[in-house]
Amino acid sequence: MDALYRRMPVDRLRVPAADFAAVLNATAARFAADRSDRFAAGALACAQWIAGITDAHPIRDGREPCTTQGMESCQMMADAVVYGMPHAPSGIDQRWALGVAGMVSWARGAARRPPVNANPRRVA
């Protein structure tokens, strides 16, 4: 897995790559523990897209390599689903979209906190 993380395209990240990798791992562990967790599923799909593990867009049906512009568009689409906007893509689970929005907004520096805590023992 370390080799995979060394190949991550970090140019699109606005958070340290090590932090992103830790959050991706924590998200994968959360989803593995509960496969019905739609928030974790959406956040994981988004993190894998950002990391270049997959080209499957986390909101739009189809394949699209992640770019900084694509991340911005993805956040707007996910937010539209979360907030029930009339132009939101149809058929997207709101909890999935919330996970996607949380991951992409954090990775692009628009949110201060990651969507999943990579260090659950840490107390604020």
Side-chain angles (χ1 to χ4, degrees):
M1 202 55 128
D2 287 342
L4 177 67
Y5 292 137
R6 283 194 293 274
R7 292 192 318 261
M8 277 193 321
V10 296
D11 60 319
R12 66 184 76 138
L13 295 176
R14 297 297 173 256
V15 296
D19 291 354
F20 183 81
V23 169
L24 192 157
N25 284 335
T27 305
R30 175 174 162 173
F31 181 63
D34 180 3
R35 296 275 182 186
S36 68
D37 185 342
R38 302 310 297 156
F39 177 89
L44 180 59
C46 186
Q48 291 173 334
W49 178 66
I50 292 168
I53 296 169
T54 182
D55 282 346
H57 194 282
I59 294 289
R60 198 183 338 246
D61 189 23
R63 301 204 166 276
E64 175 184 324
C66 182
T67 63
T68 54
Q69 295 84 7
M71 288 172 69
E72 183 178 341
S73 173
C74 180
Q75 183 176 349
M76 289 189 298
M77 285 187 281
D79 287 344
V81 172
V82 169
Y83 295 110
M85 296 178 173
H87 63 280
S90 62
I92 307 292
D93 181 90
Q94 190 175 25
R95 293 163 298 174
W96 172 284
L98 190 58
V100 171
M103 184 61 75
V104 74
S105 64
W106 173 71
R108 55 186 297 268
R112 293 173 28 147
R113 290 188 169 179
V116 173
N117 187 357
N119 188 1
R121 295 176 189 239
R122 189 173 164 189
V123 178

